[in-house]
Amino acid sequence: MFTMACLAFCLNTSAQALIQHPWQGKKVAYFGDSITDPRNSGSKRKWWNFLQDWLGIEPYVYAISGRQWNDIPNQAEKLKAEHGDDFDAILIFIGTNDFNAAVPIGEWYTIAEDSVEAAVHRPKANVLRRHRTPSMNKDTYRGRINIAMKRIKEMFPAKQVVLITPIHRGYFYGNEKNIQPTESYTNEIGEWVDAYVQSVKEAGNIWAVPVIDLNAACGFYPLADSHIIYCHNEKDQLHPNDAGHIRMARTMMYQLLALPCTFE
């Protein structure tokens, strides 16, 4: 198991430089749903627990099982109330429950014609141009992301914020009123889970934040029978077990190596 505080990179045959992981010893807030919630029984330990072990990260966990993107502002408010600005970064890992609840994807922007002052190699004048503003529709997936990211940008302008895509969805049987098919099926409005994953990727460009594509990078693929070794059990192939969380955490550790935790 990786336990070193520093990563060694060989520069030449006679010298080495030790580079400390940029997230080593930092205070990190975690927003999300059941995959991050420490109270979820799918695993004894969560991916952030392993990052705590390996990198000495102090975790502030606000994830709650079953929550969707519309809960992220609430989690941000709790972070602000409890820690103010005394933390280093925020990781947001959510979206799979929006898919399961059939939240419409929606649009990123509301577009209308508007008058604006401009000058391009000619005297300034008011001209008519198309003008876009982020959609703040709380009933759509992209609208919810916009609402959350706008609030976080306003509350924590100097903090690093990283988005994480939802991982692949396996079969889940909770009870007779909570049966979730695998991602091989659309949700109730005919959307594939891919659209919800892709929207998180697009949000990175829209809100100028890095995105870690854990859906692709961690290799967790519960649709394959062989990957039951990473799932809670046969009835719950939606939530990773400890082995699944270790796999996710190792991926996150190396992905975060490429990102600053602070901008000081």
Side-chain angles (χ1 to χ4, degrees), residues 57-205:
I57 291 175
E58 184 174 350
Y60 300 151
V61 183
Y62 294 92
I64 302 175
S65 292
R67 297 303 167 90
Q68 304 167 19
W69 258 102
N70 59 357
D71 193 56
I72 294 301
N74 298 328
Q75 297 180 28
E77 293 288 351
K78 290 179 182 177
L79 170 64
K80 187 72 171 179
E82 294 181 6
H83 297 284
D85 290 325
D86 186 21
F87 68 96
D88 297 298
I90 299 171
L91 301 184
I92 304 176
F93 184 18
I94 202 165
T96 194
N97 291 315
D98 296 82
F99 164 78
N100 187 54
V103 176
I105 295 295
E107 302 294 337
W108 287 118
Y109 298 103
T110 298
I111 300 175
E113 287 194 335
D114 198 3
S115 178
V116 64
E117 186 177 76
V120 183
H121 307 301
R122 67 186 67 177
K124 68 179 182 180
N126 286 326
V127 296
L128 194 64
R129 293 187 180 177
R130 290 201 304 162
H131 178 217
R132 68 183 186 183
T133 55
S135 169
M136 296 295 164
N137 186 342
K138 63 180 177 60
D139 295 321
T140 70
Y141 187 62
R142 291 173 176 171
R144 291 177 170 188
I145 294 175
N146 283 340
I147 291 169
M149 294 307 300
K150 181 176 185 292
R151 186 70 184 120
I152 288 172
K153 287 283 187 177
E154 291 171 344
M155 294 175 68
F156 309 113
K159 301 299 184 182
Q160 173 68 284
V161 179
V162 181
L163 303 183
I164 304 168
T165 62
I167 56 175
H168 286 273
R169 289 181 57 90
Y171 173 75
F172 178 81
Y173 177 92
N175 54 57
E176 286 300 310
K177 294 184 178 180
N178 187 10
I179 302 173
Q180 301 177 31
T182 73
E183 66 179 46
S184 298
Y185 298 87
T186 64
N187 61 16
E188 290 181 356
I189 58 172
E191 288 282 3
W192 302 103
V193 71
D194 311 49
Y196 297 80
V197 174
Q198 182 61 32
S199 290
V200 174
K201 297 180 188 180
E202 293 172 6
N205 289 104

